[in-house]
Amino acid sequence: MTPGPLNVAQALHEARALGVDRLDALMLLADTLACSRTWLLAHDDATLSTEQTTLLRACFGRRASGEPLAYLLGEKEFHGLMLHVDSNVLVPRPDTEVLVDWALELLAGLEHPSVIDLGTGSGAIALAVKHAHPAAAVVATDVSAAALEVARANAGWLALHVEFVEGSWWQAAAHRRFSLVLSNPPYIAGGDQHLAALSHEPTLALTPGGDGLDALRCIVAGAAVHLEPGGWLLLEHGFDQADAVQALLRAQGFVSVQTRRDLAGQPRCSGAHLP
Ligand code: SAM
Ligand code: GLN
């Protein structure tokens, strides 16, 4: 480790030695120095202050231990919106944009649709839908008060009007009906090895335990009484859960049951509508 304050080149060298991806290191440097990545590339002899050096080393250490870059930067882009994120919410994934795009296709044909996003986390789905389709009345729920605080703050700074309700799945929507129900619930099985690599994100956001399907079962089971006639339910799920989710939907009387693939080509979202 270089003693004293680092310059840009030395900082990038330390990051590499820790196993931090070069692009991540550049993003953290740009954030610390409040400059652009382009500026950094042209100024690799620029010296950081002692304070900046200490801060950056702490960030490199946290990134090297697997903390998501989005938590270190405090933000993540989703469907063209910049969202604040912290460790109370799942980092929104690009795969979830498939669900939003599907929702927007369905909303295009409706005049004054009402939409609910169950388990909103950072607010990603609800806010992306409201932003792209302002005529929709959007409700967003979560059982986590801390997550809702993040989502509310995002709605505030993006100036998007979304109604937030705290509660477990359908309890947050008692006696209400919607044209469209959306959810990316926790769906990783309790014993799944992937959870180890996601240990910095809230367990509540990732897994309902058991076979991973409990939250999806609960949402599908309660959907019919919360949907208007002909209303659609769209769900994100694990790459190997499409058959199970399709079966749940058919068992509840849904029709036009279909699945869409994510950017990696995996079956990722299933949806259907009531007759
Ligand atoms: N919608 C966000 C997204 O796509 O980035 C977050 C999805 S995250 C996979 C699942 C969310 O469901 C978490 O925010 C978690 O707090 C919430 N959740 C977990 N159990 C819940 C429950 N019983 N009722 C409502 N929300 C729940
Ligand atoms: N898609 C996330 C992941 O595996 C999991 C999110 C979820 O359980 N809904 O990284």
Side-chain angles (χ1 to χ4, degrees), residues 78 83 88-93 96 99 117-126 141-145 147-148 165-170 172 183-187 202-208 215 218-219 236:
F78 179 80
L83 301 172
N88 290 306
V89 298
L90 184 94
V91 177
R93 309 287 204 262
T96 305
L99 188 84
D117 170 21
L118 296 167
T120 197
S122 61
I125 296 171
T141 78
D142 211 291
V143 77
S144 159
L148 277 182
V165 187
E166 186 179 329
S168 183
W169 304 132
W170 291 113
S183 185
N184 170 21
Y187 54 64
T203 307
L204 184 66
L206 294 167
T207 175
C218 177
I219 293 166
E236 181 173 326

Short mmCIF file of all heavy atoms in Angstrom, two decimals, residues 78 83 88-93 96 99 117-126 141-145 147-148 165-170 172 183-187 202-208 215 218-219 236, ligand 1:
data_model
loop_
_atom_site.label_atom_id
_atom_site.label_comp_id
_atom_site.label_asym_id
_atom_site.label_seq_id
_atom_site.Cartn_x
_atom_site.Cartn_y
_atom_site.Cartn_z
N PHE A 78 -32.47 2.75 -13.40
CA PHE A 78 -33.45 1.72 -13.75
C PHE A 78 -34.44 2.30 -14.75
O PHE A 78 -35.07 3.33 -14.46
CB PHE A 78 -34.19 1.23 -12.49
CG PHE A 78 -35.23 0.18 -12.78
CD1 PHE A 78 -34.87 -1.15 -12.98
CD2 PHE A 78 -36.57 0.52 -12.88
CE1 PHE A 78 -35.82 -2.12 -13.27
CE2 PHE A 78 -37.54 -0.44 -13.16
CZ PHE A 78 -37.17 -1.76 -13.36
N LEU A 83 -32.31 6.15 -9.42
CA LEU A 83 -32.93 5.88 -8.12
C LEU A 83 -31.89 5.87 -7.02
O LEU A 83 -30.80 5.31 -7.19
CB LEU A 83 -33.63 4.51 -8.16
CG LEU A 83 -34.72 4.33 -9.21
CD1 LEU A 83 -35.18 2.88 -9.24
CD2 LEU A 83 -35.90 5.25 -8.91
N ASN A 88 -31.32 -1.12 2.53
CA ASN A 88 -32.69 -1.53 2.88
C ASN A 88 -33.48 -2.02 1.67
O ASN A 88 -34.60 -2.50 1.83
CB ASN A 88 -33.46 -0.36 3.51
CG ASN A 88 -32.91 -0.04 4.88
OD1 ASN A 88 -32.84 -0.91 5.74
ND2 ASN A 88 -32.50 1.21 5.08
N VAL A 89 -32.91 -1.84 0.48
CA VAL A 89 -33.65 -2.24 -0.73
C VAL A 89 -32.78 -3.07 -1.66
O VAL A 89 -31.56 -2.90 -1.73
CB VAL A 89 -34.19 -1.01 -1.52
CG1 VAL A 89 -35.16 -0.22 -0.66
CG2 VAL A 89 -33.07 -0.11 -2.03
N LEU A 90 -33.45 -3.96 -2.40
CA LEU A 90 -32.77 -4.69 -3.46
C LEU A 90 -32.24 -3.69 -4.50
O LEU A 90 -32.92 -2.71 -4.79
CB LEU A 90 -33.77 -5.63 -4.15
CG LEU A 90 -33.19 -6.54 -5.24
CD1 LEU A 90 -32.83 -7.90 -4.63
CD2 LEU A 90 -34.15 -6.76 -6.39
N VAL A 91 -31.06 -3.93 -5.03
CA VAL A 91 -30.58 -3.11 -6.14
C VAL A 91 -31.41 -3.50 -7.37
O VAL A 91 -31.44 -4.67 -7.74
CB VAL A 91 -29.08 -3.37 -6.42
CG1 VAL A 91 -28.63 -2.57 -7.63
CG2 VAL A 91 -28.24 -3.06 -5.20
N PRO A 92 -32.13 -2.55 -7.97
CA PRO A 92 -32.98 -2.90 -9.12
C PRO A 92 -32.14 -3.53 -10.24
O PRO A 92 -31.03 -3.06 -10.52
CB PRO A 92 -33.55 -1.56 -9.57
CG PRO A 92 -33.29 -0.60 -8.50
CD PRO A 92 -32.18 -1.11 -7.65
N ARG A 93 -32.67 -4.60 -10.84
CA ARG A 93 -31.93 -5.36 -11.87
C ARG A 93 -32.44 -4.99 -13.26
O ARG A 93 -33.66 -4.80 -13.45
CB ARG A 93 -32.15 -6.86 -11.68
CG ARG A 93 -31.89 -7.40 -10.28
CD ARG A 93 -30.42 -7.44 -9.96
NE ARG A 93 -30.11 -8.43 -8.93
CZ ARG A 93 -29.95 -8.18 -7.63
NH1 ARG A 93 -30.11 -6.95 -7.17
NH2 ARG A 93 -29.62 -9.15 -6.80
N THR A 96 -35.55 -6.76 -14.61
CA THR A 96 -36.88 -6.32 -14.19
C THR A 96 -37.48 -5.31 -15.18
O THR A 96 -38.69 -5.10 -15.21
CB THR A 96 -36.80 -5.76 -12.75
OG1 THR A 96 -36.20 -6.77 -11.92
CG2 THR A 96 -38.14 -5.38 -12.19
N LEU A 99 -40.29 -6.67 -17.22
CA LEU A 99 -41.62 -6.60 -16.60
C LEU A 99 -42.24 -5.22 -16.84
O LEU A 99 -43.43 -5.10 -17.18
CB LEU A 99 -41.49 -6.87 -15.09
CG LEU A 99 -42.79 -7.01 -14.31
CD1 LEU A 99 -43.30 -8.44 -14.41
CD2 LEU A 99 -42.58 -6.68 -12.83
N ASP A 117 -47.95 -2.18 -7.57
CA ASP A 117 -46.64 -2.86 -7.55
C ASP A 117 -46.45 -3.43 -6.14
O ASP A 117 -46.27 -2.67 -5.19
CB ASP A 117 -45.55 -1.83 -7.89
CG ASP A 117 -44.13 -2.36 -7.67
OD1 ASP A 117 -43.95 -3.58 -7.64
OD2 ASP A 117 -43.21 -1.51 -7.55
N LEU A 118 -46.55 -4.74 -6.01
CA LEU A 118 -46.45 -5.38 -4.70
C LEU A 118 -44.98 -5.69 -4.38
O LEU A 118 -44.31 -6.39 -5.14
CB LEU A 118 -47.27 -6.68 -4.68
CG LEU A 118 -48.78 -6.52 -4.86
CD1 LEU A 118 -49.43 -7.87 -5.14
CD2 LEU A 118 -49.41 -5.88 -3.61
N GLY A 119 -44.48 -5.18 -3.26
CA GLY A 119 -43.07 -5.39 -2.89
C GLY A 119 -42.19 -4.45 -3.69
O GLY A 119 -41.34 -4.86 -4.46
N THR A 120 -42.39 -3.16 -3.50
CA THR A 120 -41.81 -2.16 -4.41
C THR A 120 -40.32 -1.88 -4.18
O THR A 120 -39.63 -1.37 -5.05
CB THR A 120 -42.63 -0.85 -4.35
OG1 THR A 120 -42.32 -0.04 -5.48
CG2 THR A 120 -42.33 -0.05 -3.07
N GLY A 121 -39.80 -2.20 -2.98
CA GLY A 121 -38.38 -1.96 -2.71
C GLY A 121 -38.02 -0.50 -2.90
O GLY A 121 -38.62 0.40 -2.29
N SER A 122 -37.10 -0.21 -3.81
CA SER A 122 -36.68 1.16 -4.10
C SER A 122 -37.77 1.96 -4.81
O SER A 122 -37.60 3.17 -5.02
CB SER A 122 -35.44 1.15 -5.00
OG SER A 122 -35.76 0.50 -6.23
N GLY A 123 -38.84 1.27 -5.21
CA GLY A 123 -39.90 1.94 -5.98
C GLY A 123 -39.72 1.74 -7.48
O GLY A 123 -40.49 2.28 -8.28
N ALA A 124 -38.71 0.97 -7.85
CA ALA A 124 -38.29 0.86 -9.25
C ALA A 124 -39.44 0.66 -10.24
O ALA A 124 -39.62 1.46 -11.18
CB ALA A 124 -37.27 -0.28 -9.40
N ILE A 125 -40.23 -0.40 -10.05
CA ILE A 125 -41.27 -0.74 -11.03
C ILE A 125 -42.35 0.35 -11.03
O ILE A 125 -42.72 0.87 -12.09
CB ILE A 125 -41.88 -2.12 -10.70
CG1 ILE A 125 -40.81 -3.22 -10.85
CG2 ILE A 125 -43.08 -2.40 -11.59
CD1 ILE A 125 -41.26 -4.60 -10.35
N ALA A 126 -42.84 0.68 -9.84
CA ALA A 126 -43.92 1.66 -9.74
C ALA A 126 -43.52 3.00 -10.35
O ALA A 126 -44.29 3.62 -11.10
CB ALA A 126 -44.31 1.85 -8.27
N THR A 141 -46.51 -1.03 -2.70
CA THR A 141 -46.56 -1.55 -1.33
C THR A 141 -45.25 -2.22 -0.96
O THR A 141 -44.48 -2.65 -1.82
CB THR A 141 -47.66 -2.62 -1.17
OG1 THR A 141 -47.19 -3.86 -1.72
CG2 THR A 141 -48.95 -2.21 -1.86
N ASP A 142 -45.02 -2.31 0.33
CA ASP A 142 -43.93 -3.16 0.83
C ASP A 142 -44.21 -3.46 2.30
O ASP A 142 -44.85 -2.66 2.99
CB ASP A 142 -42.56 -2.47 0.69
CG ASP A 142 -41.43 -3.48 0.47
OD1 ASP A 142 -41.12 -4.22 1.43
OD2 ASP A 142 -40.88 -3.55 -0.65
N VAL A 143 -43.72 -4.59 2.76
CA VAL A 143 -43.86 -4.93 4.18
C VAL A 143 -42.75 -4.25 4.98
O VAL A 143 -42.84 -4.13 6.19
CB VAL A 143 -43.84 -6.47 4.36
CG1 VAL A 143 -42.42 -7.02 4.25
CG2 VAL A 143 -44.50 -6.88 5.67
N SER A 144 -41.71 -3.80 4.29
CA SER A 144 -40.57 -3.15 4.95
C SER A 144 -40.75 -1.64 4.99
O SER A 144 -40.76 -0.97 3.95
CB SER A 144 -39.28 -3.51 4.20
OG SER A 144 -38.27 -2.57 4.49
N ALA A 145 -40.89 -1.08 6.21
CA ALA A 145 -41.05 0.37 6.35
C ALA A 145 -39.79 1.08 5.85
O ALA A 145 -39.87 2.15 5.25
CB ALA A 145 -41.31 0.72 7.81
N ALA A 147 -37.76 0.11 3.45
CA ALA A 147 -37.76 0.12 1.99
C ALA A 147 -38.71 1.20 1.48
O ALA A 147 -38.37 1.97 0.58
CB ALA A 147 -38.16 -1.25 1.44
N LEU A 148 -39.90 1.29 2.10
CA LEU A 148 -40.88 2.30 1.66
C LEU A 148 -40.33 3.71 1.81
O LEU A 148 -40.65 4.60 1.00
CB LEU A 148 -42.18 2.15 2.45
CG LEU A 148 -43.17 1.09 1.96
CD1 LEU A 148 -44.42 1.11 2.81
CD2 LEU A 148 -43.53 1.30 0.48
N VAL A 165 -48.18 2.18 0.38
CA VAL A 165 -48.91 1.53 1.47
C VAL A 165 -48.03 0.44 2.07
O VAL A 165 -47.47 -0.38 1.34
CB VAL A 165 -50.23 0.89 0.97
CG1 VAL A 165 -51.05 0.37 2.15
CG2 VAL A 165 -51.04 1.87 0.13
N GLU A 166 -47.94 0.46 3.41
CA GLU A 166 -47.15 -0.56 4.09
C GLU A 166 -48.04 -1.75 4.42
O GLU A 166 -49.17 -1.58 4.89
CB GLU A 166 -46.57 0.04 5.38
CG GLU A 166 -45.60 -0.89 6.09
CD GLU A 166 -45.02 -0.25 7.36
OE1 GLU A 166 -44.88 1.00 7.38
OE2 GLU A 166 -44.73 -0.99 8.30
N GLY A 167 -47.55 -2.96 4.18
CA GLY A 167 -48.33 -4.14 4.53
C GLY A 167 -47.85 -5.35 3.77
O GLY A 167 -47.13 -5.23 2.77
N SER A 168 -48.27 -6.52 4.25
CA SER A 168 -47.84 -7.77 3.62
C SER A 168 -48.75 -8.09 2.44
O SER A 168 -49.97 -8.16 2.59
CB SER A 168 -47.88 -8.90 4.66
OG SER A 168 -47.39 -10.08 4.06
N TRP A 169 -48.15 -8.25 1.27
CA TRP A 169 -48.85 -8.57 0.02
C TRP A 169 -50.25 -7.95 -0.06
O TRP A 169 -50.37 -6.74 0.03
CB TRP A 169 -48.86 -10.09 -0.21
CG TRP A 169 -47.45 -10.66 -0.20
CD1 TRP A 169 -47.00 -11.77 0.47
CD2 TRP A 169 -46.29 -10.16 -0.90
NE1 TRP A 169 -45.65 -11.97 0.26
CE2 TRP A 169 -45.19 -11.00 -0.59
CE3 TRP A 169 -46.05 -9.07 -1.75
CZ2 TRP A 169 -43.90 -10.79 -1.08
CZ3 TRP A 169 -44.76 -8.86 -2.25
CH2 TRP A 169 -43.73 -9.72 -1.91
N TRP A 170 -51.31 -8.77 -0.15
CA TRP A 170 -52.64 -8.21 -0.40
C TRP A 170 -53.23 -7.46 0.78
O TRP A 170 -54.20 -6.69 0.62
CB TRP A 170 -53.59 -9.30 -0.90
CG TRP A 170 -53.22 -9.77 -2.28
CD1 TRP A 170 -52.76 -11.01 -2.63
CD2 TRP A 170 -53.26 -9.00 -3.48
NE1 TRP A 170 -52.48 -11.06 -3.98
CE2 TRP A 170 -52.78 -9.84 -4.53
CE3 TRP A 170 -53.62 -7.68 -3.79
CZ2 TRP A 170 -52.69 -9.40 -5.86
CZ3 TRP A 170 -53.52 -7.25 -5.10
CH2 TRP A 170 -53.05 -8.10 -6.12
N ALA A 172 -52.10 -4.99 2.08
CA ALA A 172 -51.89 -3.56 1.81
C ALA A 172 -52.90 -3.02 0.80
O ALA A 172 -52.92 -1.82 0.52
CB ALA A 172 -50.47 -3.34 1.30
N SER A 183 -45.51 -7.51 -9.85
CA SER A 183 -44.66 -7.80 -8.69
C SER A 183 -43.38 -8.52 -9.09
O SER A 183 -43.39 -9.41 -9.94
CB SER A 183 -45.41 -8.66 -7.66
OG SER A 183 -44.59 -8.81 -6.50
N ASN A 184 -42.30 -8.08 -8.46
CA ASN A 184 -41.04 -8.83 -8.47
C ASN A 184 -40.82 -9.23 -7.02
O ASN A 184 -40.15 -8.52 -6.28
CB ASN A 184 -39.91 -7.94 -8.99
CG ASN A 184 -38.54 -8.60 -8.77
OD1 ASN A 184 -38.45 -9.82 -8.61
ND2 ASN A 184 -37.48 -7.80 -8.77
N PRO A 185 -41.44 -10.32 -6.58
CA PRO A 185 -41.35 -10.70 -5.16
C PRO A 185 -40.05 -11.45 -4.89
O PRO A 185 -39.33 -11.79 -5.83
CB PRO A 185 -42.55 -11.64 -5.00
CG PRO A 185 -42.66 -12.31 -6.32
CD PRO A 185 -42.22 -11.30 -7.36
N PRO A 186 -39.74 -11.71 -3.62
CA PRO A 186 -38.59 -12.57 -3.35
C PRO A 186 -38.91 -13.98 -3.86
O PRO A 186 -40.01 -14.47 -3.61
CB PRO A 186 -38.49 -12.55 -1.82
CG PRO A 186 -39.82 -12.10 -1.33
CD PRO A 186 -40.42 -11.26 -2.41
N TYR A 187 -37.98 -14.57 -4.63
CA TYR A 187 -38.29 -15.90 -5.20
C TYR A 187 -37.13 -16.89 -5.16
O TYR A 187 -37.20 -17.96 -5.74
CB TYR A 187 -38.83 -15.75 -6.63
CG TYR A 187 -37.96 -14.96 -7.60
CD1 TYR A 187 -36.69 -15.38 -7.98
CD2 TYR A 187 -38.44 -13.76 -8.16
CE1 TYR A 187 -35.93 -14.66 -8.89
CE2 TYR A 187 -37.68 -13.02 -9.06
CZ TYR A 187 -36.42 -13.49 -9.43
OH TYR A 187 -35.67 -12.77 -10.31
N PRO A 202 -31.05 -7.15 1.37
CA PRO A 202 -31.95 -7.65 2.42
C PRO A 202 -32.46 -9.06 2.10
O PRO A 202 -32.96 -9.30 0.99
CB PRO A 202 -33.12 -6.67 2.41
CG PRO A 202 -32.73 -5.53 1.53
CD PRO A 202 -31.59 -5.96 0.69
N THR A 203 -32.34 -9.97 3.05
CA THR A 203 -32.83 -11.34 2.86
C THR A 203 -34.32 -11.32 2.52
O THR A 203 -34.80 -12.09 1.68
CB THR A 203 -32.60 -12.16 4.16
OG1 THR A 203 -31.23 -12.03 4.49
CG2 THR A 203 -32.93 -13.62 3.96
N LEU A 204 -35.05 -10.42 3.16
CA LEU A 204 -36.49 -10.27 2.94
C LEU A 204 -36.82 -10.00 1.47
O LEU A 204 -37.89 -10.35 0.98
CB LEU A 204 -36.99 -9.10 3.80
CG LEU A 204 -38.49 -8.79 3.82
CD1 LEU A 204 -39.26 -9.93 4.47
CD2 LEU A 204 -38.74 -7.48 4.57
N ALA A 205 -35.89 -9.34 0.78
CA ALA A 205 -36.11 -9.00 -0.63
C ALA A 205 -35.78 -10.16 -1.56
O ALA A 205 -36.21 -10.18 -2.71
CB ALA A 205 -35.28 -7.78 -1.02
N LEU A 206 -34.99 -11.10 -1.07
CA LEU A 206 -34.46 -12.14 -1.95
C LEU A 206 -35.16 -13.47 -1.85
O LEU A 206 -35.38 -14.14 -2.85
CB LEU A 206 -32.96 -12.35 -1.64
CG LEU A 206 -32.05 -11.18 -1.94
CD1 LEU A 206 -30.68 -11.39 -1.29
CD2 LEU A 206 -31.90 -11.02 -3.45
N THR A 207 -35.49 -13.88 -0.62
CA THR A 207 -36.04 -15.22 -0.46
C THR A 207 -37.20 -15.26 0.54
O THR A 207 -37.11 -14.68 1.62
CB THR A 207 -34.93 -16.21 -0.01
OG1 THR A 207 -35.55 -17.48 0.25
CG2 THR A 207 -34.19 -15.73 1.22
N PRO A 208 -38.26 -15.98 0.18
CA PRO A 208 -39.34 -16.22 1.14
C PRO A 208 -39.07 -17.51 1.90
O PRO A 208 -39.92 -17.98 2.65
CB PRO A 208 -40.56 -16.37 0.23
CG PRO A 208 -40.01 -16.95 -1.04
CD PRO A 208 -38.57 -16.54 -1.16
N ALA A 215 -44.11 -16.51 -1.90
CA ALA A 215 -44.63 -15.16 -2.17
C ALA A 215 -45.42 -15.17 -3.48
O ALA A 215 -46.50 -14.56 -3.57
CB ALA A 215 -43.48 -14.16 -2.24
N CYS A 218 -48.82 -16.70 -2.87
CA CYS A 218 -49.70 -15.79 -2.14
C CYS A 218 -50.26 -14.71 -3.07
O CYS A 218 -51.45 -14.40 -3.04
CB CYS A 218 -48.89 -15.18 -0.98
SG CYS A 218 -49.81 -13.98 -0.06
N ILE A 219 -49.40 -14.17 -3.92
CA ILE A 219 -49.84 -13.10 -4.83
C ILE A 219 -50.84 -13.64 -5.85
O ILE A 219 -51.89 -13.04 -6.08
CB ILE A 219 -48.62 -12.44 -5.52
CG1 ILE A 219 -47.78 -11.70 -4.48
CG2 ILE A 219 -49.06 -11.51 -6.64
CD1 ILE A 219 -46.39 -11.28 -4.95
N GLU A 236 -42.41 -11.35 -11.94
CA GLU A 236 -41.04 -11.81 -12.20
C GLU A 236 -40.81 -13.06 -11.35
O GLU A 236 -41.39 -13.22 -10.27
CB GLU A 236 -40.02 -10.71 -11.81
CG GLU A 236 -38.59 -11.18 -12.08
CD GLU A 236 -37.52 -10.09 -11.89
OE1 GLU A 236 -37.79 -8.91 -12.17
OE2 GLU A 236 -36.42 -10.47 -11.46
N1 SAM B 1 -39.72 -4.19 -6.75
C1 SAM B 1 -38.32 -3.97 -6.41
C2 SAM B 1 -37.46 -4.27 -7.61
O1 SAM B 1 -37.94 -4.92 -8.55
O2 SAM B 1 -36.28 -3.85 -7.64
C3 SAM B 1 -37.90 -4.84 -5.22
C4 SAM B 1 -38.11 -6.30 -5.42
S1 SAM B 1 -37.44 -7.31 -4.13
C5 SAM B 1 -37.05 -8.74 -5.09
C6 SAM B 1 -38.87 -7.86 -3.22
C7 SAM B 1 -39.52 -6.84 -2.31
O3 SAM B 1 -40.63 -7.47 -1.67
C8 SAM B 1 -38.64 -6.31 -1.20
O4 SAM B 1 -38.65 -4.90 -1.21
C9 SAM B 1 -39.26 -6.85 0.08
O5 SAM B 1 -39.16 -5.97 1.20
C10 SAM B 1 -40.69 -7.03 -0.33
N2 SAM B 1 -41.41 -8.03 0.48
C11 SAM B 1 -40.94 -9.16 1.05
N3 SAM B 1 -41.91 -9.79 1.71
C12 SAM B 1 -43.04 -9.06 1.55
C13 SAM B 1 -44.39 -9.18 1.99
N4 SAM B 1 -44.76 -10.20 2.76
N5 SAM B 1 -45.27 -8.25 1.63
C14 SAM B 1 -44.91 -7.19 0.84
N6 SAM B 1 -43.65 -7.01 0.40
C15 SAM B 1 -42.72 -7.93 0.74
#
